[in-house]
Amino acid sequence: MPSPLLSQAQAPTAELLTLEQIRATLQPLQGRFAGQKVLVLIPDHTRTLPLPQLFRILVEVLDDVGRLDFMVALGTHPPLNEAQLLKLVGLSAEERHTTFRHIGLFNHAWQDPDALATVGVVSQARVKEIAGERWHPTLGGDVQVRLNKAALEADQLLILGPTFPHEVVGFSGGAKYLFPGISGPEMINVTHWLGALATVRGTIGLKDTPVRALIHEAARLVPTPITLVALVVQGSGLAGVFVGDPISAWSAAADLSSTRHIVWVDKPFQRILSCAPPMYDELWTAGKAMYKLDPALADGGELIIYAPHLDTVSLVHGKYIYEIGYHTVPYFLNQWERFKHVPLGVLAHSTHVRGSGTWVNGQEHPRVRVTLASRIGPEDCAQLNLGYLDPDTLNPEDFANREDEGILLVRKAGETLYRVKEGA
């Protein structure tokens, strides 16, 4: 049975919570951690939420704690510089050094062994049990569970983050802010590759997935008490806030997300122009413009990632991605000796962007075509095994209001999931 929530607020359908409702829902946190050292885990700029507003409310509500730090749960995303950190939480440079000088603001450092501590191991046998039919020997052996030392030095962990349909874990949020949010590379790689083996179409928008189970298994090894503030974002506001333990609050948020963030369509589309917003400043994150639309794309169809602002594949992982390109899971599994040196998380990203497919007589057969319309040029796209279109030749309005022709325009892609109705 789920644990009762500390507090919650949910707006009626098509409405948003007021600032007063949000503040009242967070108010029960006051006095809960008095005198203790609290570490708040927050997302970076690639997630939509009114973080500057929530940051100020939390600082006010938690004014009686002994120490209050905020850490950006980056996973493997690039670290934010000082200006980016201030913009993320809505502080001026002057406020940083005056009113909020007592608040710590940090990045997670997944590649720095000195920043990480081991809290335990998930055995290979347990990974096999969790993975079930998705198990594959490429997942490897026992998984070392490491996370940022700051999480162990704190008396309390508070996770503040949104929940959306997610390509790797089913629905984001909750303990995902630990793994991969502030974890070492081992859990990052294994969870993402397990998600790839399960496929985007077999994972996204589902609550109960092997990856979610593996993340919760690892979270049990974390000794620091954890409280979750799970958010359901709609537009620029909040449709729901759920405060409680990291499983119950996440579960409630995922239930609401399934009603707010999934669009059901009558039949799959032959061509989709999926507009990646500027917050996705690398293809590593702009790939979400593919993930969220893949289930609504017909076999043999084409999805265009339209990102005229984008000129970078990945600052952190670009070298590997250019080496391997974008391919389907069978492409890698059937040539494993060629690719076993590549981090599993990178292989997973490749397959998520390229979509599912088959391997027949030594040839890869992707289910769909993926075309990139960005500042990444035609030669690079060819090396990456993606189609290319000059973004300056595209007018998104040419794709508007053509659903009856099998053509769909999504003006802000990456967070809303599109699915075909069952039986359609």
Side-chain angles (χ1 to χ4, degrees):
M1 290 291 292
S3 302
L5 297 178
L6 179 63
S7 63
Q8 61 179 304
Q10 183 172 324
T13 303
E15 295 183 22
L16 296 175
L17 296 173
T18 65
L19 179 60
E20 291 72 22
Q21 289 173 312
I22 295 169
R23 190 182 300 276
T25 309
L26 296 177
Q27 196 62 40
L29 292 172
Q30 190 162 47
R32 193 171 179 84
F33 312 127
Q36 299 186 65
K37 185 176 182 179
V38 178
L39 177 65
V40 184
L41 305 181
I42 56 175
D44 68 6
H45 62 286
T46 65
R47 303 296 187 268
T48 299
L49 77 163
L51 186 54
Q53 180 186 79
L54 294 165
F55 174 83
R56 290 175 186 269
I57 294 174
L58 271 186
V59 171
E60 179 184 321
V61 167
L62 300 178
D63 63 351
D64 60 349
V65 304
R67 170 76 190 180
L68 183 59
D69 294 326
F70 287 75
M71 176 173 285
V72 185
L74 290 167
T76 67
H77 294 185
L80 305 185
N81 61 33
E82 179 71 7
Q84 291 169 324
L85 286 170
L86 294 182
K87 182 179 179 181
L88 183 70
V89 298
L91 291 183
S92 67
E94 181 182 0
E95 287 178 313
R96 172 78 151 122
H97 298 291
T98 55
T99 308
F100 295 90
R101 65 183 180 275
H102 62 293
I103 306 297
L105 193 54
F106 308 104
N107 290 297
H108 171 55
W110 70 281
Q111 286 182 303
D112 181 4
D114 293 335
L116 303 172
T118 299
V119 295
V121 171
V122 179
S123 69
Q124 183 190 58
R126 183 64 180 131
V127 175
K128 280 186 176 182
E129 182 181 359
I130 290 170
E133 63 181 13
R134 303 302 185 185
W135 162 258
H136 191 274
T138 53
L139 286 167
D142 297 347
V143 183
Q144 188 178 22
V145 180
R146 292 192 291 165
L147 78 167
N148 199 291
K149 288 179 180 178
L152 304 180
E153 295 166 354
D155 299 312
Q156 298 283 341
L157 285 176
L158 182 63
I159 298 172
L160 174 74
T163 292
F164 292 102
H166 193 271
E167 60 279 0
V168 173
V169 69
F171 280 93
S172 64
K176 187 176 178 295
Y177 277 76
L178 302 172
F179 310 103
I182 61 165
S183 80
E186 300 86 0
M187 275 293 294
I188 292 174
N189 286 320
V190 168
T191 52
H192 280 72
W193 188 236
L194 176 55
L197 293 169
T199 75
V200 169
R201 289 158 65 86
T203 299
I204 195 165
L206 303 177
K207 276 182 71 175
D208 297 321
T209 66
V211 177
R212 175 56 65 175
L214 182 54
I215 287 173
H216 284 169
E217 182 77 10
R220 294 186 186 100
L221 299 172
V222 179
T224 312
I226 304 167
T227 302
L228 170 63
V229 179
L231 309 168
V232 177
V233 176
Q234 193 87 57
S236 59
L238 297 180
V241 178
F242 303 92
V243 183
D245 72 82
I247 293 180
S248 300
W250 168 81
S251 179
D255 288 341
L256 181 56
S257 175
S258 70
T259 69
R260 293 277 187 151
H261 299 145
I262 301 179
V263 174
W264 293 92
V265 300
D266 293 327
K267 59 183 179 180
F269 294 94
Q270 293 294 329
R271 202 170 193 221
I272 299 176
L273 186 70
S274 186
C275 302
M279 69 177 181
Y280 301 140
D281 48 12
E282 301 179 305
L283 187 53
W284 185 263
T285 49
K288 290 180 182 294
M290 166 60 177
Y291 315 150
K292 299 300 192 299
L293 277 301
D294 188 5
L297 187 61
D299 291 352
E302 179 187 29
L303 183 133
I304 303 167
I305 300 175
Y306 179 68
H309 62 281
L310 190 149
D311 61 6
T312 302
V313 173
S314 171
L315 291 174
V316 175
H317 307 288
K319 178 183 176 182
Y320 279 122
I321 297 170
Y322 272 96
E323 175 189 342
I324 67 175
Y326 286 95
H327 293 279
T328 64
V329 169
Y331 177 89
F332 293 118
L333 292 183
N334 283 280
Q335 305 176 87
W336 192 250
E337 287 300 311
R338 285 181 58 192
F339 300 110
K340 65 182 182 180
H341 68 286
V342 179
L344 294 177
V346 176
L347 293 176
H349 164 76
S350 171
T351 69
H352 287 143
V353 172
R354 197 62 189 85
S356 57
T358 57
W359 179 266
V360 181
N361 298 325
Q363 293 293 321
E364 179 185 33
H365 298 274
R367 188 185 75 86
V368 298
R369 292 175 291 143
V370 181
T371 300
L372 189 58
S374 74
R375 302 303 166 195
I376 298 172
E379 296 82 7
D380 284 34
C381 285
Q383 183 176 348
L384 293 167
N385 194 38
L386 298 174
Y388 168 80
L389 278 174
D390 181 347
D392 295 334
T393 67
L394 288 179
N395 179 4
E397 297 309 314
D398 291 340
F399 293 76
N401 304 314
R402 298 180 63 183
E403 290 85 354
D404 291 345
E405 303 173 50
I407 296 173
L408 177 66
L409 168 64
V410 179
R411 298 182 187 276
K412 184 190 176 186
E415 292 178 336
T416 299
L417 171 63
Y418 286 70
R419 301 198 89 130
V420 179
K421 294 176 183 175
E422 292 185 17

